[in-house]
Amino acid sequence: MSLGLDTPVSLGGPTLEQRRRLVTSIPGPRSEQLLARKAAAVAAGVGHTVPIEAVAAGGGVVVDADGNSLIDLGSGIAVTTLGNAHPKVVAAIAAQAAQFTHTCFMISPYEGYVAVAEALNRLTPGDFEKRSALFNSGAEAVENAVKIARKFTGRQAVVAFDHAYHGRTNLTMGLTAKSMPYKSGFGPFAAEIYRAPMSYPYRDGLTGAEAASRAISLMEKQIGADNLAAVIIEPIQGEGGFIVPADGFLPAIVDWCRANGVVFVADEVQSGFGRTGVMFASELFGIVPDLVATAKGIAGGMPLAGVTGRAEIMDAPHTGGLGGTYGGNPVACAAALAAIEAFETEGLLERALEIGTLLRSRLTELQASDPRIGDVRGHGAMMAMEFADPVTQAPDAALTAAVARAAIAEGVIVLTCGTYGNVIRFLPPLTISDELLHEGLDIVAAALAAN
Ligand code: PLZ
């Protein structure tokens, strides 16, 4: 299959027909049965967005137990960036699993972990000596970045931003901004977490410099640089609404951190690993973080996460101070090495840029004909539209939910996000064809027109 590239892209799940096909309504009877079992067996707190029983996925589709084939514009929340069940990833997983599945890296080290650390040290921004440590989830990586920054600085306070999402563990719930559904009723939260105002050009109308000085003033007056271990920020915010800060905002925050001995942590769990057309979104803004947290797209769907950064910061914790039973599992590391190789040989960054151009032109065209789309923003294959009242800019969560529901019913997986629940985000796998992408957007446009 040609995706408009010179370099061929391997499709995951190669036997899957790359088209949308609805043979039942969504959910079909088989999916209904699983969802009934889910309701009886799985804790109610674990929700789901798309009411299907997934049985296969690859390229640009997810297939369900009833034989429906849905267009995937979500990649399992930005994870299967290089396509689900990418053949190289599958082969690497199988080979490693046949060799050994676990020793615990803290007991008997193995090469895959070290090779992933070397790759992360090479791929992350910054031309200095680096170290990495591997974990299982984005939240765990963020927690460890905070531990490392505290140990290095001997300070305790941590700053996160409005609209931030950093995870669901206790410390990362505290860093996350939004109460429902992430935090409500789950406190008390960890101490010494402070929240600074974010740059949100569509809603605050500030320049990057203005928004940065607003945040810096808060940090100086309410915390004091001497008490501040780390500033953590998503260079492009994910769950909070795909908010792209105004030019100059991030560099000014980084400069202030550097001048004040504060560790600058980029949470690139969602924005990283090629999604935006560069390996890490930090590069789009010309910033070099001290530490970078990675996960999601790093291992082709296997659970793996990392913290990478300046050697002197990363080496601050004492031996035995960092770790975990499964962190850097050998099967996950083998998947990551295959995923990184695919990134470097299959033209996927170029494909992310092509997808970005297609998405942006389709969404701005839609915006020109529908004033309820207040903003279109993002980079590469991380693009979104925000719905608001054309006059008052009041967020329109009801419209957003209705459009997403209607698209899913028509066989297109779209995800919403945003502090106000009024953003539809597009995170397609980079192996999706232009045809499927256009068809998915046609259906979203029709859903919008009907609501
Ligand atoms: N940091 C920037 O986007 C995960 C959360 C889905 P984990 N985002 C998806 C949900 O509702 O739970 C995320 C992120 C950023 C950290 C995380 C956390 O990563 O692997 O889910 O722990």
Side-chain angles (χ1 to χ4, degrees), residues 77 137-139 142 165-168 182 234 239 267 269-270 296:
I77 324 186
S137 68
V142 168
Y165 183 91
H166 297 293
R168 292 177 181 270
Y182 307 122
E234 302 150 81
E239 305 305 308
D267 179 345
V269 167
Q270 190 154 167
K296 290 192 186 278

Side-chain angles (χ1 to χ4, degrees), residues 17-332:
E17 211 184 335
Q18 293 299 303
R19 69 181 187 99
R20 182 177 68 101
R21 180 182 63 234
L22 290 183
V23 295
T24 70
S25 57
I26 303 278
R30 304 264 309 244
S31 295
E32 293 255 34
Q33 275 176 21
L34 184 75
L35 297 177
R37 280 171 59 197
K38 175 183 181 260
V42 178
V46 184
H48 61 262
T49 305
V50 183
I52 58 166
E53 176 188 348
V55 294
V61 298
V62 175
V63 174
D64 77 8
D66 295 288
N68 299 300
S69 175
L70 292 81
I71 298 176
D72 184 8
L73 302 184
S75 300
I77 324 186
V79 172
T80 54
T81 308
L82 39 94
N84 221 308
H86 186 289
K88 286 182 187 158
V89 172
V90 172
I93 290 171
Q96 178 57 47
Q99 214 55 36
F100 64 94
T101 51
H102 175 81
T103 62
C104 185
F105 189 75
M106 302 182 304
I107 304 300
S108 315
Y110 39 85
E111 203 247 337
Y113 186 120
V114 177
V116 171
E118 288 167 348
L120 285 171
N121 295 348
R122 175 167 56 81
L123 292 170
T124 48
D127 225 355
F128 38 74
E129 202 178 338
K130 293 180 207 149
R131 304 276 187 271
S132 289
L134 302 183
F135 305 98
N136 302 294
S137 68
E140 209 188 339
V142 168
E143 291 240 12
N144 277 278
V146 171
K147 278 169 69 173
I148 294 163
R150 282 178 168 158
K151 183 79 184 193
F152 174 73
T153 57
R155 305 172 183 173
Q156 294 186 351
V158 181
V159 160
F161 286 79
D162 286 333
H163 314 289
Y165 183 91
H166 297 293
R168 292 177 181 270
T169 59
N170 186 267
L171 177 62
T172 59
M173 268 194 294
L175 294 168
T176 291
K178 191 173 177 178
S179 175
M180 272 304 273
Y182 307 122
K183 304 168 73 166
S184 185
F186 299 139
F189 305 113
E192 286 305 316
I193 293 171
Y194 299 86
R195 192 160 311 283
M198 179 63 186
S199 164
Y200 191 163
Y202 170 63
R203 292 198 172 273
D204 67 19
L206 299 178
T207 66
E210 289 163 350
S213 72
R214 181 175 66 172
I216 288 166
S217 162
L218 180 143
M219 295 193 279
E220 287 179 340
K221 302 298 173 231
Q222 297 187 24
I223 309 158
D226 291 351
N227 300 305
L228 188 53
V231 166
I232 178 159
I233 190 163
E234 302 150 81
I236 297 177
Q237 289 182 316
E239 305 305 308
F242 279 31
I243 300 165
V244 183
D247 282 346
F249 175 76
L250 290 171
I253 302 284
V254 171
D255 287 348
W256 181 85
C257 286
R258 215 134 285 162
N260 289 281
V262 176
V263 176
F264 180 90
V265 183
D267 179 345
E268 294 250 20
V269 167
Q270 190 154 167
S271 61
F273 252 83
R275 178 116 313 261
T276 64
V278 288
M279 268 326 259
F280 294 95
S282 292
E283 299 165 41
L284 297 169
F285 304 97
I287 58 165
V288 176
D290 297 312
L291 301 181
V292 182
T294 50
K296 290 192 186 278
I298 187 173
M302 295 295 283
L304 187 72
V307 181
T308 301
R310 294 179 187 274
E312 64 274 22
I313 302 175
M314 290 296 297
D315 282 339
H318 45 276
T319 300
L322 302 177
T325 305
Y326 295 113
N329 168 273
V331 180

